[in-house]
């Protein structure tokens, strides 16, 4: 269903602001974890494992929101404990 009237005029600018906020937040997170030699998804994986202990690969895939074919790459990049 298409937006009409005043909603249509505010929907596009709101979407643009949300996208800009998301990009800025991602950039800040990437900058914060870069000194650790990590990417944000790697940090999320390590945090998940630290908080919940050993997990099935499918649980990690769902928790991280990544494709299953990328999981091994995420897990093997960093071998130092956080």
């Amino acid at each position: 269903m298409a937006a009409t009237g005043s909603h249509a005029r505010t929907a596009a600018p709101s979407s643009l602001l949300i996208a800009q906020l998301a990009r800025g937040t991602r950039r800040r997170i990437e900058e914060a974890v870069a000194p650790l030699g990590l990417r944000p998804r790697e940090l999320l994986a390590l945090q998940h494992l630290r908080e919940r202990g050993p997990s099935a690969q499918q649980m990690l895939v769902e928790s991280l929101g990544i494709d299953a074919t990328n999981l091994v790459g995420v897990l093997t990049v960093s071998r130092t404990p956080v």
Side-chain angles (χ1 to χ4, degrees):
M1 180 186 289
T4 60
S6 65
H7 179 67
R9 288 188 296 271
T10 60
S14 296
S15 298
L16 178 61
L17 290 174
I18 291 169
Q20 289 173 335
L21 178 62
R23 280 192 300 271
T25 301
R26 180 182 174 114
R27 186 181 67 248
R28 287 186 180 125
I29 292 170
E30 288 172 347
E31 290 170 357
V33 299
L36 301 172
L38 297 173
R39 294 178 305 186
R41 288 207 195 268
E42 296 160 358
L43 183 62
L44 287 174
L46 291 171
Q47 184 176 356
H48 173 92
L49 293 169
R50 183 178 70 195
E51 291 175 359
R52 299 187 181 142
S55 296
Q57 288 184 1
Q58 187 60 38
M59 173 73 81
L60 285 170
V61 164
E62 292 169 6
S63 176
L64 299 174
I66 62 172
D67 186 86
T69 59
N70 296 325
L71 183 61
V72 172
V74 169
L75 296 176
T76 58
V77 171
S78 175
R79 295 177 189 233
T80 57
V82 175

